[in-house]
Amino acid sequence: MKIAVFAGDGIGPEVTREAVRVLEALDLPGLVLFDGDVGGVAYKRHGHPLPAETLEIARACDAILFGAVGDPDCDHLERHLRPEQAILGLRKELGLFANLRPAKVFAGLEDASALRPEVASQIDLLIVRELNGDVYFGEKGIRTLPDGRRQGWDMMSYAEDEVRRIAHVGFRAAMGRGKRLCSVDKANVLETSQVWRDVVIEVARDYPEVELTHMYVDNAAMQLVRNPGQFDVVVTGNLFGDILSDQASMCVGSIGLLASASLSGGKMGLYEPIHGSAPDIAGKGLANPMATILSAAMLLRHSLGLEAPAARIEAAVAKALADGVRGGDLGGSLGTHAIGDAVLERL
Ligand code: IPM
Ligand code: MG
């Protein structure tokens, strides 16, 4: 069981360190960890945000635990050298097309949500975000028009097979949960979304037990704060999923709590908190490592098939939160390492 640990930039190393402590505390036989550079730190050391060595380590491992990438020092670089290309490159190179982002309110955190407690307590949803296509990976550029104006452009597209495989992930996830799937698109305006919707409807025939609904993304954003309890599984494209999952995190209480899995259909998966590198608090030991610790739990479950230790980690985090363990993101004062300690004690 080989795990690549790519801590990255900003708070990435701090939160990843705590997740690694949790993994090591489980004392799983045969578990070996390998470090690699990604993001701005990799650019500074190797001249590229996703060096060939790093990709090689990734390919040799069963799973990746990823911290965060993003560094304001790199904002002036050409796009292909920016830190974000590390995560986009890994997703593409390893065929990690299915991103699972669960959002659930932990007991005791109903008051932390940006929503009223009685609304927040209903949240238990899973966003299934397509990760290899859409406007993220379309042709793009900046051109100068004949009249001298600069124009940026990004091509949005989805081919049927790309939609089909993520739709299956969405339906299968729904089968394992509440059997309700909401497909989010913008089919009233975008042709990309028309193909998306047609394919989702076609795939639905294979899952007669799942209740399928469709929602435009603007309405979905509104419904997510109005009545988030209505959602079970949400399946959507790369860009809409990016936006809705950040929104869902604040409905839950803190972006410091949301874990994610990026899956390829095989064993290989990449696991990361959905938050970014948070340069403003980097190096200060203030970040909440829970999202990364919960990502390590997802890693054990999805890539290594280790359900029991995964559930143990999740229970330890839930217990810590129920006991009032709070970082700054939740109005408390505990730092990164102290939160790690609190989880380890309960583990
Ligand atoms: C995420 C992040 C990434 C994305 C960035 C860092 C490229 O926001 O994982 O949600 O947009 O996918
Ligand atoms: Mg995002």
Side-chain angles (χ1 to χ4, degrees), residues 69 84 87-88 91 101 129 136 238 242 245-246 272 274:
V69 287
E84 289 76 10
I87 186 64
L88 297 175
R91 289 172 182 170
R101 297 190 162 181
R129 170 189 174 196
Y136 269 64
N238 207 344
D242 179 45
S245 56
D246 263 40
E272 58 173 331
I274 82 153

Side-chain angles (χ1 to χ4, degrees), residues 136-157:
Y136 269 64
F137 291 99
E139 267 185 65
K140 58 184 72 214
I142 298 177
R143 62 192 163 205
T144 305
L145 299 173
D147 63 8
R149 285 175 302 151
R150 281 174 84 231
Q151 184 189 52
W153 57 279
D154 301 83
M155 159 89 163
M156 176 184 263
S157 73

Side-chain angles (χ1 to χ4, degrees), residues 81-99:
L81 293 175
R82 301 244 189 116
E84 289 76 10
Q85 296 305 313
I87 186 64
L88 297 175
L90 283 167
R91 289 172 182 170
K92 195 71 173 178
E93 289 291 329
L94 302 173
L96 305 169
F97 70 93
N99 187 216

Side-chain angles (χ1 to χ4, degrees), residues 26-189:
L26 289 168
D27 216 4
L28 299 166
L31 190 76
V32 195
L33 307 179
F34 299 86
D35 287 327
D37 290 333
V38 289
V41 60
Y43 174 77
K44 285 170 190 161
R45 283 189 198 143
H46 313 271
H48 197 278
L50 181 59
E53 301 94 290
T54 301
L55 201 51
E56 229 169 88
I57 296 170
R59 289 193 204 281
C61 285
D62 302 303
I64 301 166
L65 183 66
F66 194 93
V69 287
D71 179 348
D73 287 355
C74 297
D75 281 352
H76 67 283
L77 296 173
E78 281 175 66
R79 188 160 304 280
H80 75 279
L81 293 175
R82 301 244 189 116
E84 289 76 10
Q85 296 305 313
I87 186 64
L88 297 175
L90 283 167
R91 289 172 182 170
K92 195 71 173 178
E93 289 291 329
L94 302 173
L96 305 169
F97 70 93
N99 187 216
L100 310 184
R101 297 190 162 181
K104 187 180 169 155
V105 173
F106 286 91
L109 280 190
E110 296 82 357
D111 287 330
S113 170
L115 307 179
R116 285 197 309 279
E118 69 272 21
V119 177
S121 60
Q122 303 303 310
I123 303 177
D124 182 0
L125 60 88
L126 172 69
I127 296 180
V128 176
R129 170 189 174 196
E130 201 288 330
L131 216 49
N132 273 184
D134 203 355
V135 71
Y136 269 64
F137 291 99
E139 267 185 65
K140 58 184 72 214
I142 298 177
R143 62 192 163 205
T144 305
L145 299 173
D147 63 8
R149 285 175 302 151
R150 281 174 84 231
Q151 184 189 52
W153 57 279
D154 301 83
M155 159 89 163
M156 176 184 263
S157 73
Y158 265 123
E160 287 176 321
D161 56 317
E162 294 175 304
V163 181
R164 197 169 291 122
R165 63 180 184 172
I166 195 69
H168 278 289
V169 174
F171 279 105
R172 279 200 300 271
M175 284 300 288
R177 295 176 42 113
K179 300 199 169 142
R180 286 181 301 120
L181 181 67
C182 178
S183 170
V184 171
D185 63 32
K186 188 72 185 171
N188 53 343
V189 178

